Amino acid sequence: MDSEIVVQDLELQSLIGFDGNPVNGLILHPDGVHLVYPLGTNIAAYHWRTKAQRFFEGHTNVISAVTVSTSGRYVGSGQVNYMGFRSPIIVWCFHTGQVVAKYESHKVRVESVAFSCCENFLISLGGVDDGSVIVYDIDKREVLCGSSSVKSTAGSATVLRPVHMRGECFVVAGDNILRLWTLNREQRNIQGLDGSFAKIKRKILCTVIDRLDEYAYCGTSTGDVMKIKLNFSADTAVVAPTNAPTLVGCFAKYPPAGKNRRGVSAAATVELYSKGITALYLVADGTMLVGSGDGVIELVKQKVRDGGNSSRGRSSYSKPGSTRLATPTRPLLVAIKSANVDSSVTSIQLMDDGVVLVGTVNCELFAIRARDFDVTCLFTCHTSVVYDLAFPHGYSKVFATASKHDVRVWSVDTLQELLRITVRNFTCSGVLFSYDGAQIVTSWNDGNIRIFAPETGRLLYAINNCHNKGVSAIAMSKDGRKLLSGGGEGQVRVWQVDNLNGALQAVLKEHKGPVSSIDVHQLGHEAITASADGTCVVWDIVRFTRLSIMFSSTIFTSAKYHPNGAQLLTCGTNRYIGFWEALDGSLIREIEGSSASALNSLDVTPNGKYIVTGSSDQMVKVWLYNEGVPTHVGVGHAGVVTNVKVSPDGKFVVSTSADGGIFLWRFPHAADTAPPGSRCSANSGGGGAGSLREQQTDRSRQLSLKKTLPARKENINVISKAQKVRTSTDYSRSTTAAASVVTGNANDNEKAVDEGSVKCLCRRGSTATCVCCDLGTGGRKIKPFVR
């Protein structure tokens, strides 16, 4: 049987978010409809109109640089590698997705890559550990030449930019260095000319060159723009520049009205961009888009010098006829329009329809209308480890992820963020949906459990001080009345949840280490907990006693009930998947889940025929349950795979990683959601007498609670696909606020809700009633989220 099964590649369906860390990592393809950007070890080509994604695969680690050729024919990228190893650079054909060339010339890290304007060469710049610039001949598939990019009197170079009209020339810039390189193809070498900055000291973060190759504009960490003349000949056939690049000036912007102080000259009163200028884009009409480290996006124009005021002109220079700048930040930039995206800008692109695309270091993509600079968030992504992942019961259109500071709800159809609940300075360790979809239950490292509404994200209630070392795992019974929590101290606690309140029922003490996973049986009478102490315990949560215990020389990371309830599945750091008897906890068999690293997550399909695992070797695997052999392997994560979940309809798999990536894989086998031979149905819509009785019970319970609820009962099943709501609350101070919500004090409720900010979904200026402020809040006013 093993010889008949061939392990295949798991097909990647889509990615959520993009990696905003590489400088100029977001690129608008010359066709005007594709966006090219990295995420994990893949490069995605996103069609702006159809929302379809294509992927360029081949890297083995985080992508640090990406570029697209002038005509859009090629896509090139470089990655980060481990210390002592060389980093590969790959060139793809954009239309076919095939690898055109692949070579390794730089150590540890590729800082930047760029195609020459003639598309014959790919220039790459190494990082600090490499310190070289390499020219690769694409047609001959060979490295043409290279040279050191390090200057003895300067720091490292991090910026690479080719010129537009001469394929043999490019600019390398960095810490107090700007060098114009010229390629001699016959002699197979490159020669550089250093730009002279006189006594000006600047660290260049980004560079753009005008279409005529006359000037280069460099954004600096100081917060001003250096204008450098490249000194090329008017004849484009002459490749070599006539002189070394010359500094024309360092331009800052005029401060807004009212900031000028009396008695201070205009040349000395300037305003610099906070945290430096990190992105620049030249517009065809002569204006320039400037992105700064604090998230400011401005459209600026260069002010023409006032020739009549000779005294002011001389005040910016040392002596008449001297080229050394005495006041480098002479205000020659005037801001026309401005916006703020709240995080450091790494990429700016301008589309043909006047939309400015902005990528940030927080992995967010914004669209700004050029006419009024109105900001719209298009893509978001986690920037740190994703600790948990959950689907609503029987609903595959949305899922939730838990990470540092926040919990997010995502749409599967649009790949957009529907809801973000932020609790600052704390980490969410677990998230789940109640069985009826009316609550989002979250656990946090401050020892509290917080329950939110699924549509507006408002805090319904909180269970405070659940565990003294933080809540590490949570699970809820099918009827929604019992909530189990595991703590960092090893205790398992059972909570009775009823009428927006939580009461402690029992404390189960058996584990000696942090509880890593909890799973409740479908009948709700027992549960299994896994711990880092090498034990898994099956509990009777009706009598609150231990039924059985399982030992292994491993740190258990996950434990699950099989859908038929007869067996248990575990995984851990020993790289094995364990099959256990649910009746007495005896070991049935073990199969090796990974050959090199720990298994971090495990899930079973609704029909019980397949297993999905995620491991520290950045792989997602699909296994046959009975045979115990893998059928498909998914490679693409740039970090440790932390969670894997199969959708309730069994059509796709969602995996998350330590770098914040969220991948959606197409499930390779036919979706059959009816578990064979199960003693209890896994689906609420099974159509049997038991299913109908459960629906009637849930309906009667909802009707009985309807009068006591402070607001309309929200449900995740009716969340809008276009909804984009963010609620941000300082819950470190919210103990009294949560208590006030439970007690039902109207004034306290108003105060508790107003601590957060929910984005208003209604059209501005509308005379109609604001449904966002009325819906789900009992008529209480929620202040709109203003970006």
Side-chain angles (χ1 to χ4, degrees):
M1 184 67 182
D2 294 347
S3 61
E4 297 177 359
I5 298 175
V6 178
V7 179
Q8 302 177 10
D9 292 333
L10 194 61
E11 182 182 354
L12 183 60
Q13 180 176 328
S14 55
L15 304 177
I16 290 182
F18 87 107
D19 189 358
N21 291 289
V23 178
N24 295 322
L26 175 67
I27 301 174
L28 178 64
H29 193 270
D31 62 9
V33 295
H34 281 94
L35 295 179
V36 180
Y37 53 86
L39 180 61
T41 61
N42 300 285
I43 294 178
Y46 176 80
H47 197 284
W48 182 259
R49 296 172 185 169
T50 63
K51 313 302 181 184
Q53 289 180 324
R54 292 194 298 118
F55 306 103
F56 302 93
E57 301 175 354
H59 284 289
T60 59
N61 209 331
V62 179
I63 296 174
S64 57
V66 63
T67 185
V68 177
S69 61
T70 306
S71 66
R73 179 183 176 187
Y74 296 121
V75 175
S77 62
Q79 72 171 51
V80 179
N81 211 342
Y82 300 103
M83 188 65 67
F85 294 88
R86 294 188 179 273
S87 299
I89 298 174
I90 304 178
V91 179
W92 287 278
C93 177
F94 176 79
H95 300 288
T96 63
Q98 300 296 322
V99 176
V100 176
K102 182 177 181 180
Y103 64 100
E104 299 178 358
S105 297
H106 297 286
K107 298 177 182 178
V108 184
R109 178 184 178 91
V110 178
E111 194 69 41
S112 181
V113 290
F115 288 99
S116 62
C117 61
C118 61
E119 299 187 356
N120 293 329
F121 313 109
L122 177 66
I123 306 111
S124 58
L125 179 65
V128 178
D129 300 291
D130 183 77
S132 64
V133 56
I134 301 293
V135 179
Y136 182 82
D137 194 321
I138 300 176
D139 296 332
K140 295 183 178 180
R141 307 291 194 272
E142 65 176 1
V143 174
L144 196 61
C145 57
S147 180
S148 174
S149 62
V150 180
K151 186 180 177 181
S152 59
T153 59
S156 60
T158 57
V159 181
L160 172 65
R161 180 69 64 172
V163 300
H164 296 285
M165 304 180 69
R166 296 165 177 83
E168 296 83 2
C169 298
F170 57 93
V171 173
V172 171
D175 188 3
N176 197 34
I177 179 176
L178 186 140
R179 185 175 294 176
L180 178 59
W181 294 90
T182 304
L183 169 66
N184 190 328
R185 190 170 186 176
E186 288 74 18
Q187 298 181 4
R188 298 175 68 96
N189 63 8
I190 51 176
Q191 298 178 351
L193 286 176
D194 291 326
S196 177
F197 299 162
K199 293 186 178 181
I200 305 297
K201 303 293 183 182
R202 290 291 186 272
K203 182 179 181 180
I204 298 175
L205 303 179
C206 57
T207 302
V208 290
I209 301 174
D210 60 10
R211 290 292 175 183
L212 299 178
D213 296 341
E214 186 177 2
Y215 293 102
Y217 297 86
C218 305
T220 68
S221 60
T222 307
D224 52 12
V225 178
M226 299 176 67
K227 185 175 181 181
I228 299 174
K229 189 173 182 179
L230 298 179
N231 293 321
F232 280 114
S233 173
D235 186 6
T236 57
V238 179
V239 177
T242 57
N243 292 304
T246 306
L247 178 63
V248 176
C250 298
F251 302 153
K253 60 178 178 177
Y254 282 99
K259 283 195 175 181
N260 287 336
R261 295 177 295 175
R262 294 183 179 180
V264 181
S265 63
T269 306
V270 296
E271 183 175 358
L272 300 173
Y273 286 93
S274 178
K275 298 183 181 180
I277 296 176
T278 54
L280 291 172
Y281 187 90
L282 290 177
V283 188
D285 60 359
T287 58
M288 183 166 54
L289 289 165
V290 178
S292 67
D294 63 347
V296 173
I297 301 290
E298 285 190 341
L299 180 65
V300 300
K301 65 178 181 180
Q302 184 176 343
K303 187 177 182 298
V304 180
R305 287 185 178 141
D306 188 2
N309 191 352
S310 59
S311 61
R312 178 178 296 180
R314 285 195 299 268
S315 67
S316 293
Y317 299 90
S318 57
K319 294 180 181 179
S322 174
T323 59
R324 185 175 66 84
L325 299 178
T327 308
T329 55
R330 176 187 172 95
L332 288 177
L333 298 179
V334 178
I336 304 173
K337 298 176 182 178
S338 180
N340 199 319
V341 295
D342 300 327
S343 57
S344 179
V345 179
T346 56
S347 306
I348 298 178
Q349 294 289 305
L350 179 62
M351 301 188 70
D352 296 335
D353 55 357
V355 176
V356 180
L357 300 176
V358 178
T360 69
V361 74
N362 283 346
C363 302
E364 295 180 329
L365 173 61
F366 296 92
I368 303 177
R369 285 202 304 260
R371 65 175 184 270
D372 56 2
F373 262 49
D374 182 66
V375 180
T376 303
C377 185
L378 299 180
F379 291 159
T380 58
C381 186
H382 288 291
T383 58
S384 58
V385 182
V386 180
Y387 293 101
D388 201 6
L389 168 68
F391 275 95
H393 292 278
Y395 190 64
S396 302
K397 296 296 183 181
V398 299
F399 62 90
T401 55
S403 184
K404 188 177 181 179
H405 301 310
D406 56 35
V407 176
R408 307 190 189 190
V409 179
W410 306 88
S411 170
V412 173
D413 295 331
T414 63
L415 306 179
Q416 298 293 318
E417 177 185 322
L418 301 179
L419 177 69
R420 182 187 302 184
I421 305 171
T422 302
V423 181
R424 302 190 184 281
N425 302 323
F426 295 116
T427 298
C428 183
S429 59
V431 61
L432 60 87
F433 292 91
S434 61
Y435 190 81
D436 58 358
Q439 296 176 353
I440 300 178
V441 185
T442 60
S443 60
W444 302 82
N445 66 341
D446 62 345
N448 297 338
I449 297 176
R450 298 179 174 90
I451 293 87
F452 302 94
E455 294 181 46
T456 59
R458 63 189 178 93
L459 179 67
L460 297 178
Y461 64 99
I463 305 175
N464 298 316
N465 303 320
C466 299
H467 296 272
N468 57 13
K469 290 187 178 181
V471 185
S472 57
I474 54 173
M476 181 175 280
S477 62
K478 188 176 180 180
D479 58 5
R481 295 183 178 181
K482 285 186 179 180
L483 179 64
L484 280 73
S485 64
E489 76 286 351
Q491 293 183 4
V492 179
R493 300 192 175 189
V494 183
W495 307 86
Q496 180 72 30
V497 180
D498 190 17
N499 196 18
L500 300 183
N501 198 357
L504 181 63
Q505 279 192 317
V507 179
L508 308 177
K509 299 180 180 180
E510 187 72 37
H511 295 296
K512 304 301 181 182
V515 178
S516 56
S517 175
I518 304 177
D519 191 30
V520 180
H521 195 278
Q522 296 181 33
L523 296 179
H525 66 289
E526 63 180 41
I528 180 174
T529 59
S531 174
D533 61 358
T535 62
C536 286
V537 179
V538 179
W539 304 94
D540 185 336
I541 56 177
V542 177
R543 297 177 298 171
F544 308 115
T545 59
R546 189 190 77 186
L547 296 178
S548 60
I549 187 170
M550 296 163 282
F551 296 93
S552 181
S553 57
T554 182
I555 297 176
F556 283 110
T557 55
S558 182
K560 290 280 184 181
Y561 278 98
H562 189 270
N564 62 15
Q567 292 185 359
L568 304 170
L569 297 172
T570 62
C571 66
T573 56
N574 63 350
R575 305 179 287 108
Y576 281 91
I577 303 173
F579 296 75
W580 308 79
E581 184 66 46
L583 185 62
D584 56 359
S586 60
L587 181 64
I588 301 174
R589 62 171 175 169
E590 282 185 331
I591 59 175
E592 188 178 16
S594 175
S595 59
S597 57
L599 298 179
N600 299 321
S601 183
L602 175 146
D603 196 21
V604 188
T605 57
N607 58 16
K609 295 180 180 179
Y610 307 99
I611 309 172
V612 181
T613 59
S615 54
S616 296
D617 56 4
Q618 307 172 4
M619 291 185 182
V620 177
K621 294 183 180 180
V622 179
W623 302 75
L624 290 173
Y625 179 82
N626 293 328
E627 291 78 1
V629 294
T631 62
H632 292 76
V633 176
V635 179
H637 283 286
V640 172
V641 179
T642 55
N643 294 279
V644 288
K645 283 289 188 299
V646 183
S647 62
D649 58 8
K651 294 182 179 180
F652 60 92
V653 178
V654 179
S655 61
T656 62
S657 58
D659 62 345
I662 303 175
F663 286 45
L664 278 73
W665 310 86
R666 185 169 285 106
F667 194 73
H669 304 288
D672 180 13
T673 57
S678 63
R679 294 175 293 178
C680 53
S681 174
N683 300 324
S684 60
S691 176
L692 180 60
R693 189 180 302 110
E694 291 172 2
Q695 293 179 5
Q696 292 175 351
T697 304
D698 292 341
R699 179 60 179 169
S700 62
R701 184 170 67 253
Q702 292 176 11
L703 292 176
S704 63
L705 294 176
K706 186 175 182 181
K707 295 182 181 180
T708 60
L709 290 176
R712 181 188 69 87
K713 191 171 184 179
E714 301 177 10
N715 198 289
I716 191 65
N717 298 342
V718 297
I719 193 169
S720 171
K721 293 181 180 180
Q723 177 175 329
K724 293 179 183 178
V725 184
R726 298 184 184 184
T727 175
S728 177
T729 306
D730 185 6
Y731 287 107
S732 60
R733 302 180 290 103
S734 65
T735 303
T736 58
S740 66
V741 174
V742 175
T743 57
N745 190 329
N747 296 329
D748 293 339
N749 287 348
E750 177 98 15
K751 181 178 179 182
V753 173
D754 282 346
E755 286 185 356
S757 299
V758 179
K759 184 177 181 180
C760 182
L761 304 179
C762 302
R763 181 176 299 177
R764 295 182 181 179
S766 175
T767 58
T769 304
C770 178
V771 297
C772 302
C773 299
D774 294 337
L775 186 63
T777 60
R780 295 190 297 273
K781 179 69 175 177
I782 294 181
K783 59 184 179 180
F785 177 86
V786 180
R787 181 171 295 283

